[in-house]
Amino acid sequence: MTATAENLSSALEMEKVASHLHPEGSYDVSAHTAPTGREEIWRFTPLKRLRGLASDATFAPSATATTWNAPGGVRVESVTGDEAKALRGISGLVPNTLFGARVLAEVPDTLLVDMPAETELDAPVIIDLDGKDAQVVEAGHVALRFGAHSRATVVLNHTGSATMAQVVEVKVGDGAQVSVVSLQDWADDAAHLTHHQAVVGRDASYKHVAISFGGDVVRMDCNVTYDGPGGEVELLGLYFADEGQHIEHRLFADHNAPRTKSHVTYKGALQGKGAHTVWVGNVLIRKVAEGIETYEENRNLVLTDGCTADSVPNLEIETGEIEGAGHASTVGRFDDEQLFYLRSRGIAEDEAHRLVVHGFFNDLIRKFNVPELEEKLLATVEGELAKNVLGANASNEGV
């Protein structure tokens, strides 16, 4: 064997990183450097508008009011000290960003939602996080622990004005069937940088729903790994960006166990000058993950001129022994055939646009399976449309 062949063989035998798009992690804050924007995982993010959240901003005491409902038998509490420290990393998270490492190292308390084994809830646990001051740079850690064979939904509802770095960790016990919904309905001046990490147990089912409407800049990283075979994951997302807004979602499904499944569906709409959305979907199928199924799709509807939608699906496969893997990504304007069909039946232009957008989102909202949110989401979509698309059409018709 030649020296070149030996070097190549040696390189192939070296331990691989989890993903080329996800740097190796460390709990040591000093092991991380502040992003410059030239890194692959930060190249779309407007770092200056994050007000130091991604780098070295000093975290102040929280200005966000946090309230919740706590059904019987479910523990919802802010914990400190040794208990809070023990919750750091329950999802298997090893931070691969400076802000993630800083949150785990510097935030003194953790908001814990603890679902005992066998618990079955008829209504969701709703955590309301209401920001009071966007001038306060703050950070928070949330731990959601679902016991074996539990069935529950937790909603994180973000509203108001805030500048927040956040880490949300989810541990799903064996056989559990759970949903976690994160709603970013911030005021226009908010900046939110958050990392959601989940580990899914044997034969468990985990649904994560990301809904982003408000804020000046919102970036969410959503990562999933498996703690045994048979786990199923559904990652769903809905976002709507207005003039000047930046909304970014990055996902990483790490199939590190056999016979696991993941399905990703994200849909977004954009309107107004400078509206920018980013979706990056990463799936890694490891050598041990035989018999897995995965599919990811992202659809973007551009409603006005001056918008930018970046959509980047990535699939890394280390074994050919899989059931199926694929991805789809689209960015486009209104479907002319749909609009023509509606207009030909006497429907006004603004109403036709409204119906197309509602049809675009409706099937996704039904998949969320949270009746308490459906009416609110449809009303929010209606309000977003009124800002630009419907208002512009109404003005044109009045000319």
Side-chain angles (χ1 to χ4, degrees), residues 76-90:
V76 184
E77 185 180 355
S78 180
V79 300
T80 58
D82 290 341
E83 185 172 14
K85 291 179 182 178
L87 293 169
R88 309 297 162 95
I90 65 166

Side-chain angles (χ1 to χ4, degrees), residues 126-167:
I126 299 178
I127 313 292
D128 288 310
L129 299 101
D130 186 18
K132 302 300 182 182
D133 189 351
Q135 300 304 312
V136 176
V137 180
E138 58 184 281
H141 181 246
V142 180
L144 310 177
R145 187 163 55 193
F146 298 93
H149 304 289
S150 59
R151 288 171 171 78
T153 297
V154 174
V155 178
L156 303 174
N157 183 32
H158 301 88
T159 57
S161 296
T163 298
M164 179 184 293
Q166 180 188 58
V167 171

Side-chain angles (χ1 to χ4, degrees), residues 64 93 127 150 179 230 266 286 333 354:
T64 296
L93 170 64
I127 313 292
S150 59
S179 296
Y266 269 61
R286 295 179 182 268
R333 295 184 176 273
R354 189 185 72 83

Side-chain angles (χ1 to χ4, degrees), residues 251-264:
L251 300 91
F252 180 37
D254 183 354
H255 285 271
N256 59 334
R259 301 186 304 280
T260 51
K261 297 180 180 180
S262 66
H263 192 282
V264 177

Side-chain angles (χ1 to χ4, degrees), residues 31-43:
H32 301 271
T33 58
T36 63
R38 293 188 295 272
E39 303 84 357
E40 175 61 32
I41 65 172
W42 292 103
R43 66 188 179 100

Side-chain angles (χ1 to χ4, degrees), residues 78-344:
S78 180
V79 300
T80 58
D82 290 341
E83 185 172 14
K85 291 179 182 178
L87 293 169
R88 309 297 162 95
I90 65 166
S91 65
L93 170 64
V94 180
N96 63 7
T97 59
L98 175 60
F99 91 87
R102 289 191 61 206
V103 168
L104 295 188
E106 298 177 23
V107 175
D109 58 334
T110 292
L111 178 61
L112 170 65
V113 179
D114 203 3
M115 206 77 56
E118 310 289 342
T119 299
E120 294 190 22
L121 299 184
D122 296 327
V125 176
I126 299 178
I127 313 292
D128 288 310
L129 299 101
D130 186 18
K132 302 300 182 182
D133 189 351
Q135 300 304 312
V136 176
V137 180
E138 58 184 281
H141 181 246
V142 180
L144 310 177
R145 187 163 55 193
F146 298 93
H149 304 289
S150 59
R151 288 171 171 78
T153 297
V154 174
V155 178
L156 303 174
N157 183 32
H158 301 88
T159 57
S161 296
T163 298
M164 179 184 293
Q166 180 188 58
V167 171
V168 177
E169 297 194 68
V170 184
K171 183 175 178 58
V172 182
D174 293 347
Q177 298 179 22
V178 303
S179 296
V180 173
V181 180
S182 184
L183 174 60
Q184 288 68 243
D185 197 13
W186 295 109
D188 291 342
D189 59 353
H192 188 194
L193 181 60
T194 182
H195 182 116
H196 289 217
Q197 183 86 25
V199 57
V200 180
R202 176 185 292 267
D203 298 324
S205 174
Y206 173 62
K207 179 186 292 184
H208 182 277
V209 178
I211 305 166
S212 299
F213 288 110
D216 177 52
V217 179
V218 172
R219 168 172 160 154
M220 174 185 287
D221 295 4
C222 179
N223 294 6
V224 177
T225 62
Y226 299 84
D227 197 23
E232 298 187 12
V233 170
E234 190 172 22
L235 305 178
L236 305 176
L238 183 157
Y239 50 91
F240 204 132
D242 287 325
E243 181 177 353
Q245 272 188 294
H246 179 94
I247 296 178
E248 182 169 346
H249 293 95
R250 287 177 169 265
L251 300 91
F252 180 37
D254 183 354
H255 285 271
N256 59 334
R259 301 186 304 280
T260 51
K261 297 180 180 180
S262 66
H263 192 282
V264 177
T265 304
Y266 269 61
K267 289 187 176 183
L270 305 84
Q271 62 180 4
K273 184 178 180 180
H276 187 195
T277 63
V278 177
W279 178 89
V280 179
N282 299 321
V283 175
L284 171 63
I285 304 172
R286 295 179 182 268
K287 188 174 182 178
V288 298
E290 296 183 354
I292 70 96
E293 294 180 28
T294 181
Y295 190 80
E296 56 177 352
E297 62 177 318
N298 175 231
R299 311 289 183 185
N300 296 278
L301 186 58
V302 179
L303 305 179
T304 67
D305 294 334
C307 307
T308 302
D310 290 294
S311 182
V312 186
N314 296 295
L315 185 60
E316 301 179 21
I317 304 175
E318 297 180 354
T319 176
E321 301 297 325
I322 62 176
E323 293 295 322
H327 54 70
S329 171
T330 62
V331 178
R333 295 184 176 273
F334 283 110
D335 188 313
D336 290 335
E337 290 187 2
Q338 291 179 340
L339 292 176
F340 177 78
Y341 176 85
L342 294 170
R343 293 300 305 277
S344 67

